[in-house]
């Protein structure tokens, strides 16, 4: 039906086996992909530079400690301009549980074992093989 309407309207006939329009080349597809990627990177850069974008950490506010107490529940200690608050964070909201009178003590850094005094793997393997014989 559509072909008859096109012929009646005087549209040029297309021979069988010929394409009506040239297929887009691979170069054009790669160029379009690169343009989209450049647009994404450019918009990300622009969002970082805009005021109030939310990517910058808030000044005077930091999370001191966090402990998961359930699947979606946490207890968090937050430092707000020198005052520390114990907050309960749930899926339904955030509640202040306690105002800490002083800052939390800083935990001692974890000490790594002294690897210099350990026997190497080859020595341990030889000792183990001797015991089995």
């Amino acid at each position: 039906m559509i072909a008859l309407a096109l012929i009646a309207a005087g549209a040029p006939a297309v021979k069988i086996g010929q394409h009506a329009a040239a297929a887009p080349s691979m170069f054009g597809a790669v160029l379009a992909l690169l343009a989209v990627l450049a647009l994404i990177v450019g918009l990300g850069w622009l969002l970082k530079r805009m005021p109030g974008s939310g990517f910058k950490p808030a000044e005077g506010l930091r999370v001191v400690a966090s402990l998961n107490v359930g699947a979606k529940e946490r207890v968090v200690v937050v430092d707000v301009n020198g005052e520390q608050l114990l907050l309960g964070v749930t899926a339904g909201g955030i509640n202040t549980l306690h105002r800490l009178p002083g800052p939390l003590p800083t935990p001692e850094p974890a000490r790594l074992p002294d690897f210099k005094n350990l026997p190497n793997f080859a020595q341990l393997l030889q000792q183990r093989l001797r015991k089995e014989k």
Side-chain angles (χ1 to χ4, degrees):
M1 284 255 183
I2 295 175
L4 292 175
L6 288 175
I7 293 172
V14 178
K15 294 181 183 177
I16 296 176
Q18 288 184 344
H19 297 288
S25 67
M26 183 61 89
F27 177 74
V30 170
L31 189 63
L33 177 65
L34 289 176
V36 169
L37 290 176
L39 181 67
I40 291 171
V41 170
L43 287 176
W45 178 83
L46 186 64
L47 281 175
K48 280 185 178 181
R49 302 304 187 268
M50 290 179 62
S53 65
F55 289 121
K56 299 174 188 171
E59 294 181 20
L61 181 69
R62 69 181 179 94
V63 176
V64 176
S66 177
L67 177 67
N68 290 333
V69 292
K72 294 184 180 181
E73 296 85 20
R74 295 188 298 162
V75 177
V76 180
V77 176
V78 178
D79 185 81
V80 182
N81 291 329
E83 182 180 6
Q84 291 190 349
L85 303 171
L86 181 66
L87 304 176
V89 180
T90 64
I94 301 172
N95 297 317
T96 303
L97 302 177
H98 185 68
R99 292 183 188 271
L100 299 176
L104 286 178
T106 56
E108 293 183 21
R111 296 181 61 201
L112 295 175
D114 186 18
F115 292 112
K116 294 178 184 176
N117 297 330
L118 294 176
N120 65 14
F121 180 73
Q123 291 173 348
L124 290 173
L125 184 61
Q126 286 177 357
Q127 289 174 358
R128 184 74 168 175
L129 290 175
R130 286 184 199 142
K131 288 181 182 179
E132 289 180 6
K133 290 182 180 180

